[in-house]
Amino acid sequence: MSNSQMSRTQPRAYPSPHVIVVKPSTTHTHTLILLHDRGATAQEFGAHALHPTTSSGKTKPQIFTGMKFVFPSATPRPSTSLAGFPIMQWFDNVSLFDPTEKEQLQLEGLRETAQMVHRIIDAEAKAVGAENVLLGGLSQGCAAALFALLTYRPADGAGTRLGGFLGMSGWLPLRSKIGASAKGLAEKSGKGVSDALVSAVARKLVGMPAGEGKPPRLGGTPIYLGHEKEDETVDVELARQAAKALSALGLDVTLKTYRGDGMENDDMVKFMGKNCGCLSRPKRR
């Protein structure tokens, strides 16, 4: 991808200077924020994420001409699994086979990443409306983005939903703790699990303030999770566990598993068009 197609934002626009933006070829109607995998960068992931074509022979920017693509880059963090050597990662996790191992090491990174993503969402929502902003990521980027989704509180306090979530080969961080805490508090109150409760529980687990205004309508945000059945890095069972946990919290989840036949790109594009309204113009606000 050429330098003219991928450009860095000014530090004033987003909290990190390492953000790659691919501008829409027509009027800006939607924004997709995608987080890269552990050990990668925004530049590398951006080129990889936009290159695959669908069976029609078109790429996502060619199909969604009004979409702006935003690729943040993680900062170097010491990796416990690599004896403290710093690598590009959204949060420190000891094992991809068992993401629950030493979960306390994940908290700082999850909090800081979520806060950064929230600021980007707020900036894009001002341009096209929160309902036209999509979030997603690959592997650890998917995990971090899912946590950012659960903890997002709109800056304007309007409580609207995001346009959608697109996750690939990921998992849900702190899955058991979020589920158990939300269920326990819901049973105690007798009011059931609500978006506000899920948001408050997830935020409290990583030391984020409760936040003001209404949380987004999590149940109204369509979530797509794609995963290869034979993934040797992140077991597909983690995606199944994430989908089950999110559904139990009242979220709208579509899980697709693949055998590496290339159909995942077609399915994701169909989901973006049908479930997220990415082929339509946003409503006037």
Side-chain angles (χ1 to χ4, degrees):
M1 186 164 289
S2 68
N3 290 333
S4 62
Q5 291 173 300
M6 301 188 74
S7 60
R8 294 188 182 277
T9 63
Q10 296 297 319
R12 290 180 300 173
Y14 297 124
S16 168
H18 305 294
V19 177
I20 302 299
V21 173
V22 178
K23 298 179 180 180
S25 58
T26 59
T27 302
H28 182 200
T29 61
H30 297 79
T31 296
L32 172 57
I33 305 163
L34 288 174
L35 276 59
H36 61 73
D37 189 9
R38 180 173 183 257
T41 65
Q43 184 77 40
E44 296 167 346
F45 179 55
H48 170 76
L50 298 182
H51 177 71
T53 60
T54 64
S55 56
S56 68
K58 294 183 178 180
T59 62
K60 291 184 185 70
Q62 291 172 332
I63 295 171
F64 305 110
T65 58
M67 182 166 287
K68 176 182 179 181
F69 295 85
V70 178
F71 299 97
S73 211
T75 56
R77 293 179 181 274
S79 171
T80 300
S81 62
L82 296 176
F85 185 81
I87 62 172
M88 304 293 278
Q89 57 178 354
W90 301 107
F91 58 92
D92 189 19
N93 63 290
V94 176
S95 170
L96 291 180
F97 295 100
D98 180 13
T100 65
E101 184 177 349
K102 296 184 178 180
E103 284 184 319
Q104 71 276 11
L105 297 176
Q106 304 174 25
L107 305 185
E108 180 181 68
L110 284 171
R111 179 180 65 251
E112 293 177 354
T113 296
Q115 291 171 332
M116 180 270 289
V117 171
H118 295 166
R119 290 192 289 269
I120 297 179
I121 294 173
D122 285 339
E124 292 304 313
K126 289 181 180 179
V128 295
E131 68 277 10
N132 295 304
V133 177
L134 287 74
L135 178 63
L138 171 67
S139 194
Q140 194 195 64
C142 171
L146 270 176
F147 193 81
L149 172 68
L150 296 185
T151 53
Y152 176 60
R153 288 291 184 108
D156 61 7
T160 187
R161 72 175 181 87
L162 294 186
F165 185 93
L166 306 171
M168 300 157 282
S169 303
W171 67 94
L172 176 61
L174 310 181
R175 171 180 54 82
S176 296
K177 288 183 172 64
I178 293 173
S181 296
K183 182 179 179 181
L185 290 171
E187 291 178 347
K188 186 176 181 179
S189 68
K191 296 181 180 180
V193 177
S194 65
D195 292 343
L197 178 61
V198 173
S199 176
V201 164
R203 292 175 72 95
K204 185 176 181 179
L205 284 172
V206 295
M208 294 174 69
E212 299 179 356
K214 298 179 181 178
R217 291 188 290 110
L218 294 173
T221 300
I223 298 173
Y224 173 92
L225 298 178
H227 211 111
E228 282 198 23
K229 293 181 179 180
E230 306 301 327
D231 193 319
E232 297 181 355
T233 303
V234 180
D235 196 293
V236 67
E237 184 58 29
L238 294 177
R240 295 190 179 109
Q241 293 172 357
K244 183 178 180 180
L246 291 169
S247 295
L249 294 173
L251 279 67
D252 177 15
V253 184
T254 297
L255 173 64
K256 293 278 190 177
T257 57
Y258 305 94
R259 295 190 180 278
D261 53 9
M263 289 303 296
E264 58 268 30
N265 206 45
D266 273 19
D267 283 347
M268 185 180 294
V269 165
K270 289 177 183 177
F271 184 88
M272 292 169 69
K274 180 180 178 181
N275 299 70
C276 307
C278 293
L279 293 175
S280 62
R281 297 184 62 83
K283 298 178 181 178
R284 292 184 179 274
R285 296 191 297 147

